[in-house]
Amino acid sequence: MARNRSSRGVLTLAMITNRRRHIAVAMTLIAPFVLIFGLVFLYPMIRVVELSFTNAPLIGSGEWVGLENYRQLLTDNLFYTSLKNNGYFVLLTVIPTTVIALAIAIAVNRLSGRMQALVLATFFLPYILPVSVVTQIWAWMLDFQFGILQPVIEYFVGEPVAVFKQPAWVMPTIAVVTIWWTNGFNVLLFIAGLRNIPKELYEAASLDGASRRQLFMKVTWPLLWPVTALVMTLQLILQLKLFDQVYLLSGGGPFNSSYVLLMMVYREAFQLNNGGYASAVALVLFVVIMVVSVLQFQLLRMGGRK
C-alpha cells in the first residue's frame, strides 16, 4: 500500500511538472505576439480613448474635458457629411464588388491549365499595386483633357466630364477605382470556396436533370455562402476605412462631396493639431466599424442557415 501511494505521488508530481513545462513553453511561444499586440494595438487604443476626453494637441498633454469632444461632434455638420459619404461609398462598393468577384471566380474556375493561371493573374495584378500607383493610373485615364476614358464618357453623356470635380461623379468614380483595385483578393477567396465544393454534388444534380441555374441556386450558392459572408464583411470593414483613394484623387471635394471620416481625423490631427477631437472621431469610427461589421456578419450567418 505504501509503495502504491508512493508511486501515485511520484506520478502526480510528474504530471504537475509536465503540465507546468507545457504552460511555460506555451507562454514563451505567445509572448512575442502578446508583446507586439500590446505595443502596436492595445496601448495606442487605450491612448486614443484617453485623448478623446481631453483637449490635447497631437503631441503633448492636455486638460481633461470629459464628453465635450463628443458633444461637439454631435453638432458638427462635417461629421454628419462624412458619415453619410462613408455610408454611400459602402453601398457603392460592398455588394457590387462581391457580385463581380463571384462572377469572375465562376468564369475563371471553368478554365484550366495555363489559361486559368493567366486570367487569374490578370485579375489579381491590380491588388498588388500600391494605392499611389493605382490612383495615378486612373487620374491619367480620366483626365479631363487627355484621359483615354473621356471619349467613352462623352459617348454616353454627350460631353467630357471632370469626374473628380463633379459632386455627382466623384464617389461613384472612386468606387469603380476601388473595385478594380481590390477585387482580385475577393476573386481568390471565391475560387478557393468553389474548389472546396465536391464535384460529386454537381454530377448527382446533373443526373437528376438540374439546369445550370438550378446547379448554381441549389448547390453552388448555399455551399459558397460562408465565403460570401466573409467577403462582404471584409469589404465592409475595408470600405468604412476609406481614405487613400479619396485623399489622392479628390482631396475630399468638391464641396465635401467625397469627404469621409478618416479625412476628418487627418484634418483635425495633422492640420489643425486637435489631437483630442481627432481621437474622438477615430473612436466613433472604430465603434461604427465594429458594430456594423459584427451585425452584418451575424445577419449573413442567420441568412445562411435558412
Side-chain angles (χ1 to χ4, degrees), residues 46-57 60 69 275-277 279:
I46 295 173
R47 184 61 178 159
V48 166
V49 174
E50 180 185 352
L51 284 175
S52 69
F53 295 103
T54 70
N55 60 359
N69 288 327
Y277 192 60
S279 298

Side-chain angles (χ1 to χ4, degrees), residues 1-300:
M1 290 291 293
R3 183 177 299 176
N4 290 337
R5 290 177 181 175
S6 177
S7 299
R8 290 176 183 175
V10 172
L11 182 60
T12 303
L13 182 61
M15 292 176 62
I16 293 174
T17 304
N18 193 36
R19 184 179 179 182
R20 289 176 178 174
R21 185 181 295 113
H22 282 300
I23 293 174
V25 171
M27 294 299 293
T28 303
L29 292 174
I30 67 173
F33 168 78
V34 173
L35 180 62
I36 295 173
F37 177 81
L39 291 175
V40 175
F41 179 80
L42 190 58
Y43 174 74
M45 186 66 193
I46 295 173
R47 184 61 178 159
V48 166
V49 174
E50 180 185 352
L51 284 175
S52 69
F53 295 103
T54 70
N55 60 359
L58 181 62
I59 299 176
S61 59
E63 298 178 358
W64 181 269
V65 295
L67 297 175
E68 182 60 33
N69 288 327
Y70 296 96
R71 293 193 190 99
Q72 182 181 346
L73 194 63
L74 293 176
T75 59
D76 193 338
N77 291 329
L78 186 58
F79 169 72
Y80 291 107
T81 300
S82 303
L83 187 62
K84 182 190 70 174
N85 290 336
N86 273 94
Y88 180 43
F89 191 78
V90 165
L91 292 177
L92 289 172
T93 53
V94 173
I95 295 179
T97 194
T98 303
V99 173
I100 293 171
L102 177 58
I104 293 173
I106 292 175
V108 172
N109 197 50
R110 292 177 179 174
L111 302 175
S112 60
R114 294 182 178 178
M115 180 59 68
Q116 185 185 62
L118 178 62
V119 174
L120 185 58
T122 302
F123 283 111
F124 188 74
L125 178 62
Y127 184 74
I128 65 177
L129 297 176
V131 64
S132 57
V133 175
V134 171
T135 53
Q136 191 68 27
I137 290 172
W138 280 90
W140 170 71
M141 291 195 299
L142 292 168
D143 183 80
F144 181 70
Q145 292 183 317
F146 309 107
I148 60 175
L149 292 182
Q150 283 296 335
V152 178
I153 296 175
E154 185 177 3
Y155 176 79
F156 287 102
V157 180
E159 61 180 359
V161 178
V163 292
F164 300 117
K165 297 181 180 179
Q166 297 290 334
W169 281 79
V170 60
M171 288 301 275
T173 304
I174 295 175
V176 170
V177 174
T178 302
I179 292 173
W180 178 84
W181 176 36
T182 62
N183 219 20
F185 181 69
N186 301 326
V187 172
L188 284 182
L189 291 177
F190 276 122
I191 287 179
L194 288 169
R195 290 180 177 177
N196 283 330
I197 300 176
K199 295 182 179 179
E200 292 80 7
L201 296 178
Y202 291 108
E203 295 172 357
S206 298
L207 291 175
D208 289 337
S211 62
R212 281 193 174 184
R213 181 179 179 278
Q214 290 173 326
L215 285 175
F216 177 79
M217 295 302 297
K218 301 298 182 181
V219 179
T220 305
W221 182 245
L223 294 178
L224 208 58
W225 184 256
V227 179
T228 305
L230 175 63
V231 169
M232 293 187 69
T233 302
L234 291 177
Q235 284 299 308
L236 178 68
I237 297 171
L238 178 66
Q239 308 312 345
L240 282 173
K241 296 191 298 180
L242 173 69
F243 174 76
D244 300 342
Q245 308 93 290
V246 171
Y247 180 77
L248 293 172
L249 289 173
S250 68
F255 311 113
N256 293 333
S257 57
S258 62
Y259 210 88
V260 291
L261 287 173
L262 276 182
M263 287 204 68
M264 190 174 178
V265 174
Y266 173 81
R267 173 177 174 267
E268 293 293 336
F270 296 99
Q271 294 180 342
L272 302 179
N273 199 31
N274 294 330
Y277 192 60
S279 298
V281 179
L283 191 59
V284 169
L285 177 60
F286 172 77
V287 172
V288 169
I289 292 174
M290 183 176 64
V291 171
V292 174
S293 59
V294 170
L295 181 61
Q296 176 191 271
F297 188 72
Q298 293 301 322
L299 289 175
L300 292 173

